[in-house]
Amino acid sequence: QVQLVESGGGVVQAGGSLRLSCAASGSISNINAMGWYRQAPGKQRELVASITSGGSTNYADSVKGRFTISRDNAKNTVYLQMNSLKPEDTAVYYCNAHRKVWAIDHDYWGQGTQVTVSS
């Protein structure tokens, strides 16, 4: 099992910044990618950004140029730096870890952290 603990959410005005952190513990070997998803009220959960164990990153078009995902392997922590925040970024943000064991995919989720951007 993998445990994910998120922190860093909060309330910020439009144009402001926040940094989310996600610390992984437990069976963290074979984690091949980690990422951030978000879910706004009445909407489906969507991928915001992801980073592979090799450092390759992927972003949703809506956050490109504003958000940056990074990882500190020594701390088993993934970060999401969010700049130029917009009201439409308001959502619960979830950390995800993807692990493959014996060719079987496993996904793990954090408890979620609320990000609210006021106009």
Side-chain angles (χ1 to χ4, degrees):
Q1 291 294 317
V2 174
Q3 293 78 44
L4 301 172
V5 178
E6 301 136 337
S7 60
V11 180
V12 64
Q13 287 189 330
S17 299
L18 284 173
R19 189 175 83 153
L20 306 182
S21 300
C22 173
S25 62
S27 300
I28 60 174
S29 60
N30 297 324
I31 289 178
N32 50 28
M34 293 186 69
W36 290 93
Y37 288 71
R38 67 187 181 187
Q39 187 167 19
K43 294 189 176 181
Q44 289 189 329
R45 189 173 296 188
E46 62 175 0
L47 174 68
V48 177
S50 64
I51 185 166
T52 68
S53 56
S56 297
T57 57
N58 181 47
Y59 295 93
D61 287 342
S62 59
V63 306
K64 283 180 180 176
R66 300 188 298 121
F67 291 11
T68 302
I69 190 170
S70 61
R71 63 192 295 167
D72 184 333
N73 291 329
K75 296 182 178 180
N76 299 317
T77 299
V78 172
Y79 304 97
L80 184 68
Q81 178 66 43
M82 304 185 293
N83 299 327
S84 302
L85 283 160
K86 303 175 180 180
E88 51 263 44
D89 294 318
T90 295
V92 178
Y93 285 68
Y94 296 92
C95 180
N96 168 269
H98 181 79
R99 182 168 171 254
K100 181 165 284 191
V101 180
W102 294 102
I104 298 174
D105 294 315
H106 299 268
D107 277 291
Y108 303 90
W109 297 92
Q111 79 282 3
T113 185
Q114 177 71 46
V115 171
T116 302
V117 184
S118 61
S119 57

